[in-house]
Structure formats: C-alpha cells, structure tokens
Amino acid sequence: MSQQETDLEQLNVFDLSGFAKLITLLQEKGYTTVGPTVEEGAIVYDEIDSIEDLPIGLTDEQAGGKYELRKRNDHALFGYVVGPHSWKKFLNPAGLRLWQARRNGRSFEVLEQEAPAPSYAFIGARACELNAIAIQDRVFLKGSFVDSDYAGRRQNIFVVAVNCGQAGGTCFCDSMNAGPKAKSGYDLVLTEIKAQKRNLFVVEAGSEAGANLLHEVPHEPATEKQMARVSEVVSDAVAQMGRQLDTRDLQSLLYRNSGNGRWNEVAERCLACANCTMVCPTCFCSTVEDTTDLTGEHAERWRLWDSCFTQEFSYVHGGSVRSSISARYRQWITHKLASWVDQFGSSGCVGCGRCITWCPVGIDITEEIAALREADSGLSSILRTEEKE
Amino acid sequence: MAGKVEKPVPAQTSRRAAKPKLAVWKFASCDGCQLSLLDCEDELLSVAAGVEIANFPEASRAVIKGPYDLSLVEGSITTPHDAERIHQVRRASRFLVTIGACATSGGVQALRNFQDVNEFISIVYASPHHISTLKKSTPIDEHVTVDFELRGCPINKMQLVEVLSAYLNGRKPNIARHSMCIDCKRAGVSCVMVSQGTPCLGPITHSGCGALCPRYNRGCYGCFGPMENPNVPSLCERWAAMGHADVEIYRALSTFNVNAEAFRKESSLYEKAGDSE
Ligand code: SF4
Ligand code: SF4
C-alpha cells in the first residue's frame, strides 16, 4: 500500500494489518486503548492490547431482559452491537474520589490528588454512543458549572468510531436520529466491509488528529464499489432496527399523561433496581459520600453513580419525594424523553436499547411510550366524544 | 418495639476524655458476624485505639461493667431467657446496633417460625423437657428499640468498620439500602440473570456485599435481605417465566432472611403452590 496524502473528506481503506498498526500507534502515543471484549458471557468495554482482544466472529442476540452471545459465520471484528458497559465508565467513572484531607490540629489540609486519568483511545464507539457522549458533554461542560474531572478526561480521548453494520434486537437509534451512521464526535470512523473473505475497513477522518494518525497507517483510497458498500452497510442496519419509538409530540404526550394509569401498570413489574439507569450511556446522576477512617484523621469525599430509582435519591427532610415505584419510573422516562429537552436542548435517549436488554424483567421504553400513546389517544377520543355530547 | 432510649450522643465530644465503651452481645447466632470484627486485621488496631473493648467474649475474657456507649448485638431472640436479656442489654447501652441476618430478621433459624417447634424438639432431643424455647425466632427490633441495623449473613466487615468509624466521628454511616444491582453495575459486572439466565435475587436484595456472588458468576442468594421497597412478586414472576419451579422460588426466598416480611409474604405463596402440585 502506498502512503497517500490524507484528506479529511476522503475515504480510504485498510485491512487487518492496518487496523493492528492503528492500535499500536495509539499505544505508542501514550493512549490506553479500550474497546469491546468478551467477559463472562457479554461484550464489555475494557482495556485491549491488540485486535486479538476484540470479540472476533461473535454476535449478540438481545431482547427485553435477555442477552446472548453467539458465533457468527464470519470473522467480523464488529459484528455485534452494544453491551452492558458504555464509555461513560471512562469519562464519568462509577466511583470517583473528589478529594481527600488530613486532620491538622483543629483544621484540615487537603491532600494532593493522585495522577490524572490516563488518555483513553476508544476503539469501536458506535454512533449512538458518540451522541451519548455529546449529551453528557452538554451536561458536564456546557452549563454554568464545568465538571473539571470530566473535562480533563474528555479532552484527552481519541475516538475510533465504527458504523454499525447490523442492528440489535433492542436498537432504535434510527428513531432517535442518533445512528447507525456516525456523523460527528470521532477522530476516525471505520466501516467494516468484507471483500474476498478479507476484513477491510473503510476509514474516514473526522478530525485533524485523526487525519494525522491515518498518515502513519498504511492505507489506500477507497474504490467506488467500497464507498458504495459503506452506505449499503448502514442501510442494512437501519432496516434491522429491533425497536421503534414514535417521537412525534413526545414531550407534551408525557407532560399531559402524568396521571395516566399506565404508570401503575409498569410499576407492578418495575423492580426499582436501577439497572436501566446504570447501563444508560446518558444517565449521569450521582451521589456524594463523605467518609472518614476510624481515627478521624483522614477524610474523603467520593462521587458514586446513583439512580432516580432509589428512595434516597429524592429524599428531603421528612421523607422521599417519590416514594412509589410508579412515580420513579415516570420521573425517569419523563426526564429522559421530555424534560431533558427543556433542560439540555436534546432528548436524553439515543436509542441504544441497553435499558431494555438489561432490565431484569424486560421493561421496554419503546413499549411504554407506545402504550402511553394508545391510552392517551383513547383518553382524548373519549374526551372528544364527551365534548360533542 | 419496646424500651425507652435516651438520644444517642455522638462519641466524638467525649472522645479525648475517655474512650467510648464497646460491648458485643450474642444471641441465637453462629458468631460469624462478631468474628468479622476480629477479621478486620488492618483496622483492628485503630478500632482498639478508638474504643475501649469492654465486653467481647470472643476477643477477651476481661469484662468491664456497663453501661456501654455502643453495643453490637448479634443473633435473634429464640428463648424466654434471651427475651429478658435483650432488655438488659438495651438498658445498659447508649447506642445499639444489630449486626447480621439473625439480629435483623431472625436468621435461618426462623425457618421454624412456620413449623411446629414442639414436634422438632420431640424428634431431636432425648429429653425434650430440658428445652425451653420460643415458638419463633425473632429479630431484635421486635423486642427493643434499635438504633441502626447492619445487614448480611454474614455482615461485610468493611461495612462494620464504616459503622464504627461513623459512630466514632459523629457522622451518618454510608450504608445504602438500594438494590444489589447498583453495586454490580458500578463494579462493571455483567448481569448473570440477563446474560446467562441464572436466577438472581439481586434486584430485590439490599446492597452491602459488593456484589460478591455475581462477581464469581453466580446469582445473588439474598444474604442481605430485602432492599428498600422490594418488588418481590415481579421478580418471582420473572423467575417462573424463566422456567423455575415454585419450589425453587420458595427455597430461594427461604434462607437467611426467611422471616423478613417481604420475602416471607411471597415465599408463602410459592410454598402453597408447591404443596398443591
Ligand atoms: S434510555 Fe435506554 S435506549 Fe435510551 S439511551 Fe438510555 S439506555 Fe439507551
Ligand atoms: S425499568 Fe427495569 S431496570 Fe429499570 S428499575 Fe425498573 S426493573 Fe430495574
């Protein structure tokens, strides 16, 4: 392969060895490379040393409350969708020590924080996930207060995105306008195509850093046929969306149905276990814990992932504001799909389907909205006929 | 709940003057929970530096007279004598913390609550007339006011250290009452129920162990008892839909926390259904 001038607009192609080289280069530049890898029956995000660590030739079957790994009949590197982890675990860790202090007579002294987080290279981030990162950016960086820890981690990442070649059983990014093609938020984006049993990757740079790195990877310009494959691959994924969510008029649908009986129905099934919020790539709520050691000489403040499904979450003096599970489920979905828009200017859902798959009882956000819509139209038609009479 | 208690005073104020006196009491139990205190190897010296161990037969034969600032109570009430003794403990304790499933829900020995105890006695003991026992094994808070309950079978020793250091520093202990699932997800453990079809009590179980079983690829056994508002019926329905027989569901709910109301209410339904099969 010849080294070419890489243009931001131009599509290029490399093979497995090019991809391997890309990962080595990132590591040489000091990035900790993290990406999909198999652990105890699921594809999670963890450190990967080489492409060997990727779930080669595997796929995932997903449904409400069900996830299963299966063998594919090829050796695709990215032939699956998203698993229980999301990139938020690197940008907004589940447990973070905010500061620590030592007693100093009647006062205290704040101790220096340990070394900053490593620079991560995300290998294989999907379109919905890039949108989820953009959503968390708005939460942590764009408001009146900037979260300095998030900002520090965020500015150091390098993103190698992948366009989805297939959609999962609980995916609906298409409905949320968040995939399956990556549109922004990456340094490089790959589309995995097969040619004569070879894994090929059509690659496009999305940033200068991406373009510069690509210079160092052996590649060649994509042929017209290969370029056409990119759109085919993506439209295949669109055609496979396992779920759909009708977003028309969604905000007012939710606001005018706060008293709908559907909330009690879903609450009969909902365990308030909080799995949905933990796996959601956009859910960002946390709690803060202050702790001391036995001697009282050392104190620490920790931030931990929290959830609107716990009782403590809405605890104010005298009790929990949302004591019933129905109030908590309603709060979660209404925030996610409606008040999030008022608060941050976009929906809080990217249609990744994690909350559906990882809900132990298979509660489905798309099904709940559909049911609410039906109950709502039933209600409004009753109201209309009553008005006529 | 019985017994009048004065408002617990944080230990910190009087700390320099005299170390708070700690007592450990045992009722019907296996000793596992109080032994977790001795298990705190790294922290044991700090514990000993922070409190005066005044009564802890597992650790030392020396007994210092009460009253005690902090009492850790292990075990359930199963005999008329213990039902008396717990009131003495309460009277002698400024702050009373129950530790473990026996003390907080009645323990595995509460299985007898739903059977005929006299029948057991007649079968097991050669001279049944020597046995003086209550029909039920009950948690401490059914007898006296409890200031704090630490769950688990056994308790998590790090949680015990947290309760002690919170007490010594006059702060609220960081002991969450939410589901075990939150701990699993924070630790990055994939759900064994969703990805492997393993029955797991995690979604209705009180946090505390740090997701020990799922980390080792097993379902949660519910050692920490019911979480805050647990939806037991829904989880059981799911287990049934996954193909688990009524008797399995009944048994899963009938272990260390069999007497916890939320577990018992549901297990009794599956027990009956199992009987009629
Ligand atoms: S709400 Fe559900 S589908 Fe939407 S982004 Fe969160 S986990 Fe994904
Ligand atoms: S919707 Fe599902 S995952 Fe979320 S809290 Fe309820 S039962 Fe748990």
Side-chain angles (χ1 to χ4, degrees):
Chain A
M1 280 188 208
S2 62
Q3 294 279 354
Q4 309 259 338
E5 267 302 288
T6 312
D7 178 13
L8 273 185
E9 303 299 309
Q10 197 180 332
L11 290 186
N12 289 282
V13 155
F14 56 57
D15 60 8
L16 273 183
S17 64
F19 191 19
K21 174 83 181 159
L22 177 73
I23 292 183
T24 319
L25 281 170
L26 284 165
Q27 289 162 347
E28 280 167 16
K29 291 183 193 307
Y31 286 104
T32 301
T33 43
V34 288
T37 189
V38 176
E39 198 185 277
E40 304 291 11
I43 294 171
V44 300
Y45 292 153
D46 216 330
E47 236 174 273
I48 52 166
D49 289 334
S50 70
I51 49 179
E52 304 293 303
D53 291 339
L54 295 171
I56 302 171
L58 286 181
T59 194
D60 46 5
E61 270 177 24
Q62 304 197 25
K66 256 186 99 44
Y67 178 100
E68 210 171 327
L69 285 185
R70 288 202 191 281
K71 275 217 168 72
R72 294 172 60 93
N73 51 16
D74 62 14
H75 291 96
L77 265 57
F78 295 102
Y80 42 87
V81 290
V82 294
H85 290 189
S86 73
W87 306 101
K88 78 174 177 186
K89 72 178 243 193
F90 302 108
L91 295 172
N92 167 29
L96 182 71
R97 181 163 57 205
L98 296 176
W99 55 271
Q100 49 178 331
R102 188 170 40 214
R103 185 192 292 277
N104 196 347
R106 294 189 64 82
S107 169
F108 65 90
E109 170 196 347
V110 176
L111 301 175
E112 247 182 71
Q113 276 285 50
E114 57 265 63
S119 304
Y120 288 114
F122 294 172
I123 310 296
R126 309 304 176 107
C128 60
E129 304 187 297
L130 301 178
N131 279 293
I133 294 173
I135 287 172
Q136 291 216 325
D137 284 353
R138 286 193 280 278
V139 173
F140 288 123
L141 304 175
K142 306 284 161 68
S144 3
F145 298 99
V146 170
D147 184 299
S148 55
D149 184 80
Y150 182 89
R153 291 163 188 270
R154 178 70 178 87
Q155 74 187 14
N156 291 334
I157 62 171
F158 187 97
V159 179
V160 181
V162 168
N163 286 322
C164 290
Q166 69 181 58
T170 56
C171 288
F172 59 103
C173 61
D174 189 38
S175 305
M176 304 314 290
N177 199 16
K181 188 170 174 20
K183 296 202 172 120
S184 62
Y186 54 80
D187 295 292
L188 290 172
V189 60
L190 313 180
T191 310
E192 184 171 26
I193 58 171
K194 250 193 321 188
Q196 285 126 24
K197 293 199 168 169
R198 270 202 323 155
N199 299 61
L200 284 182
F201 301 91
V202 177
V203 54
E204 191 180 347
S207 73
E208 238 181 272
N212 289 339
L213 193 72
L214 194 51
H215 276 307
E216 300 178 52
V217 180
H219 63 270
E220 51 192 37
T223 63
E224 268 189 25
K225 215 170 136 202
Q226 288 167 334
M227 287 195 243
R229 271 304 286 152
V230 173
S231 352
E232 281 166 30
V233 159
V234 170
S235 47
D236 282 355
V238 172
Q240 285 174 1
M241 290 289 147
R243 296 283 196 278
Q244 267 173 357
L245 195 145
D246 179 355
T247 57
R248 280 174 304 150
D249 194 27
L250 197 47
Q251 269 185 292
S252 58
L253 174 77
L254 282 159
Y255 289 155
R256 72 174 171 265
N257 279 289
S258 61
N260 200 299
R262 181 72 191 182
W263 304 122
N264 290 334
E265 283 174 47
V266 68
E268 295 215 337
R269 295 172 60 211
C270 177
L271 307 162
C273 62
N275 279 299
C276 47
T277 53
M278 296 284 124
V279 294
C280 179
T282 71
C283 274
F284 58 84
C285 285
S286 59
T287 183
V288 168
E289 275 184 12
D290 287 336
T291 157
T292 52
D293 67 353
L294 282 159
T295 61
E297 294 301 309
H298 185 91
E300 300 190 348
R301 172 164 291 182
W302 281 78
R303 185 171 76 191
L304 303 167
W305 284 357
D306 200 9
S307 170
C308 50
F309 280 93
T310 75
Q311 206 168 330
E312 179 89 11
F313 186 86
S314 66
Y315 183 89
V316 291
H317 174 75
S320 205
V321 173
R322 287 184 285 273
S323 56
S324 70
I325 294 183
S326 75
R328 292 183 219 162
Y329 188 85
R330 180 183 62 195
Q331 159 67 23
W332 175 69
I333 204 169
T334 307
H335 185 218
K336 189 109 305 207
L337 298 171
S339 47
W340 202 296
V341 183
D342 301 327
Q343 202 180 356
F344 302 113
S346 75
S347 168
C349 174
V350 296
C352 71
R354 284 181 177 89
C355 57
I356 308 171
T357 301
W358 298 98
C359 171
V361 292
I363 292 173
D364 179 339
I365 184 172
T366 64
E367 188 185 319
E368 289 314 307
I369 291 298
L372 206 61
R373 222 176 253 295
E374 206 182 297
D376 177 70
S377 60
L379 192 73
S380 26
S381 67
I382 292 169
L383 289 179
R384 272 197 297 277
T385 40
E386 273 180 1
E387 265 168 30
K388 270 185 213 152
E389 276 163 11
Chain B
M1 288 209 204
K4 209 167 151 259
V5 217
E6 61 177 288
K7 200 167 180 291
V9 181
Q12 203 184 27
T13 43
S14 59
R15 202 159 142 224
R16 293 265 134 72
K19 287 198 280 185
K21 285 203 271 181
L22 173 80
V24 182
W25 308 95
K26 176 185 159 66
F27 289 83
S29 61
C30 78
D31 282 31
C33 288
Q34 45 171 316
L35 285 177
S36 18
L37 185 56
L38 294 178
D39 241 10
C40 299
E41 288 127 2
D42 295 339
E43 295 79 12
L44 203 54
L45 285 178
S46 306
V47 173
V51 298
E52 182 178 12
I53 299 184
N55 187 351
F56 186 11
E58 284 276 11
S60 155
R61 262 188 296 176
V63 175
I64 299 165
K65 258 183 59 195
Y68 307 98
D69 295 292
L70 174 62
S71 276
L72 301 177
V73 177
E74 175 196 86
S76 67
I77 303 299
T78 57
T79 66
H81 173 243
D82 280 355
E84 281 297 308
R85 189 162 62 97
I86 187 61
H87 286 279
Q88 292 165 17
V89 169
R90 177 69 267 189
R91 277 194 295 272
S93 314
R94 212 171 213 183
F95 204 91
L96 190 153
V97 173
T98 48
I99 56 170
C102 300
T104 59
S105 81
V108 71
Q109 58 273 31
L111 274 167
R112 70 151 172 240
N113 296 11
F114 318 105
Q115 306 290 337
D116 182 358
V117 165
N118 290 327
E119 198 189 321
F120 289 159
I121 296 174
S122 65
I123 298 170
V124 174
Y125 297 98
S127 322
H129 57 276
H130 290 312
I131 304 297
S132 156
T133 188
L134 296 168
K135 281 206 172 69
K136 290 189 171 185
S137 166
T138 43
I140 303 299
D141 83 336
E142 280 189 23
H143 300 265
V144 297
T145 301
V146 169
D147 298 305
F148 192 81
E149 288 192 333
L150 189 62
R151 301 279 203 87
C153 182
I155 54 167
N156 173 342
K157 65 177 186 182
M158 293 322 292
Q159 285 205 319
L160 180 61
V161 170
E162 168 62 15
V163 169
L164 292 176
S165 70
Y167 170 77
L168 288 172
N169 291 288
R171 65 178 172 84
K172 185 176 148 244
N174 296 310
I175 305 286
R177 298 173 55 231
H178 56 57
S179 74
M180 233 272 306
C181 300
I182 291 189
D183 299 342
C184 244
K185 288 291 183 290
R186 282 177 184 159
V189 177
S190 303
C191 179
V192 295
M193 191 158 143
V194 169
S195 68
Q196 298 171 47
T198 308
C200 178
L201 287 177
I204 54 170
T205 296
H206 195 289
S207 143
C209 64
L212 200 55
C213 286
R215 278 176 199 262
Y216 290 94
N217 229 346
R218 312 171 68 142
C220 166
Y221 290 91
C223 311
F224 281 61
M227 67 186 271
E228 60 182 20
N229 36 25
N231 189 344
V232 189
S234 172
L235 186 72
C236 292
E237 238 172 73
R238 184 67 172 188
W239 278 32
M242 285 161 66
H244 297 285
D246 287 347
V247 60
E248 289 177 65
I249 298 173
Y250 162 71
R251 284 190 184 140
L253 292 172
S254 308
T255 63
F256 329 104
N257 290 286
V258 57
N259 192 47
E261 201 193 330
F263 284 3
R264 179 57 196 162
K265 211 170 134 204
E266 205 59 20
S267 69
S268 64
L269 299 177
Y270 285 87
E271 180 181 27
K272 288 198 195 94
D275 281 351
S276 62
E277 261 167 23

